[in-house]
Amino acid sequence: LGVGGLVFLCGPFFDGQGAPGDKSLLYNEALKSFAKEASNRQPSLPPLTWNMPDIPQVRGYAEAAGLEFLDQKRIGSGWMAVVLRQRLSPPRLAPVMQQQSP
């Protein structure tokens, strides 16, 4: 992702604000169940974990990867849009002049 590039995420999220709705809880349990079944079919592979993303956790991962959070909007029942941006590079500082000894 280039400097200033945008990341747009859209879908069902836990938003960390209040209790999630029944549909969100059912969807989350379905994802967990699918992951468990898939892992059981492939016992030689590391266990698969999957659940509905949590916006505060996504923000933490994004910031650790150098992205900045721009905005989030509810766009339906349980659906959110989240916009992140690759941080702009810090301003370049002029090189410090070395003092020369007399």
Side-chain angles (χ1 to χ4, degrees):
L1 185 63
V3 172
L6 297 175
V7 175
F8 179 79
L9 305 172
C10 182
F13 287 92
F14 289 126
D15 64 7
Q17 300 174 4
D22 289 342
K23 285 184 181 180
S24 295
L25 293 173
L26 286 171
Y27 181 67
N28 190 53
E29 288 306 312
L31 291 173
K32 287 181 180 181
S33 176
F34 174 82
K36 184 176 180 180
E37 289 175 21
S39 290
N40 289 340
R41 287 192 301 266
Q42 299 289 331
S44 62
L45 298 176
L48 176 64
T49 58
W50 195 12
N51 59 353
M52 200 165 82
D54 178 88
I55 287 180
Q57 187 177 38
V58 169
R59 284 183 71 168
Y61 288 137
E63 289 170 3
L67 300 169
E68 64 179 317
F69 174 81
L70 293 181
D71 202 3
Q72 77 183 47
K73 297 282 185 209
R74 184 167 303 282
I75 57 171
S77 178
W79 277 61
M80 301 287 289
V82 178
V83 182
L84 307 161
R85 177 175 59 195
Q86 179 65 39
R87 292 191 189 282
L88 303 176
S89 58
R92 292 182 178 225
L93 301 175
V96 177
M97 294 179 58
Q98 296 180 347
Q99 291 183 350
Q100 295 186 12
S101 55

